[in-house]
Amino acid sequence: MEIDIQIKQQITNSEGTEMFEFTTVGTRLQKSHTYIMYKEYIDDISTDVRVKIESERVRINRKGELTLDFLFVPFETTQNMYTLANQKTVMEVTTNQLLIEQEAHSGKVYIQYSITNNNTVLGSYTYELQYKERL
């Protein structure tokens, strides 16, 4: 099913805060869980994104020049793979807030999290996805 998607992301690290916001068209697939799929373009680089929404957790998988597979579980730290330029790194993702709202024809995911690598906090992040069926 085709959906309209609005993405808002915020990254805060030692260099300051950056905001990204864009709208796109994607696909929603309903199986035992909800899957949202879309393409993200940053600096003319295309990345395939799949968001798996379960009842109390979310997994974001990105494939492209940067590949990551992050699992977000409220108030837990998960070990996740991050690959850039054929270099694999394990990142620890701590989910501070996770909000999932789903209705018949629309939904929202809001995640506030931090990423740590080798006991160093790389930054804090927010990811917000809102979707609705195309009419």
Side-chain angles (χ1 to χ4, degrees):
M1 166 182 322
E2 269 202 335
I3 54 174
D4 289 315
I5 299 171
Q6 181 178 19
I7 304 286
K8 294 179 186 175
Q9 297 181 68
Q10 179 176 309
I11 301 169
T12 302
N13 56 29
S14 60
E15 298 172 8
T17 299
E18 284 185 273
M19 296 278 294
F20 301 96
E21 190 170 341
F22 67 94
T23 57
T24 189
V25 174
T27 304
R28 184 182 93 175
L29 184 60
Q30 189 66 50
K31 292 187 173 182
S32 56
H33 305 290
T34 301
Y35 294 86
I36 305 291
M37 289 147 302
Y38 63 92
K39 283 193 183 293
E40 185 176 275
Y41 297 93
I42 298 174
D43 299 330
D44 296 327
I45 298 169
S46 171
T47 302
D48 292 318
V49 181
R50 185 188 76 198
V51 180
K52 179 182 179 185
I53 305 168
E54 299 180 33
S55 62
E56 295 184 20
R57 63 189 209 167
V58 172
R59 180 179 294 275
I60 298 178
N61 183 284
R62 300 174 60 148
K63 288 189 178 166
E65 199 167 293
L66 158 71
T67 298
L68 64 79
D69 188 18
F70 281 3
L71 176 63
F72 301 95
V73 180
F75 313 112
E76 288 189 22
T77 298
T78 58
Q79 304 259 326
N80 301 274
M81 288 304 298
Y82 182 98
T83 307
L84 180 62
N86 295 322
Q87 300 249 328
K88 289 187 179 185
T89 306
V90 175
M91 302 280 190
E92 292 184 343
V93 175
T94 302
T95 306
N96 302 311
Q97 186 176 2
L98 176 64
L99 172 68
I100 299 169
E101 295 176 2
Q102 293 191 86
E103 296 177 18
H105 305 286
S106 63
K108 175 181 176 178
V109 172
Y110 177 85
I111 307 168
Q112 197 285 318
Y113 62 101
S114 61
I115 298 178
T116 304
N117 179 256
N118 293 328
N119 296 320
T120 301
V121 176
L122 302 181
S124 62
Y125 304 79
T126 59
Y127 173 88
E128 182 177 344
L129 176 148
Q130 293 186 60
Y131 68 89
K132 66 179 184 223
E133 277 184 35
R134 301 198 90 196
L135 301 176

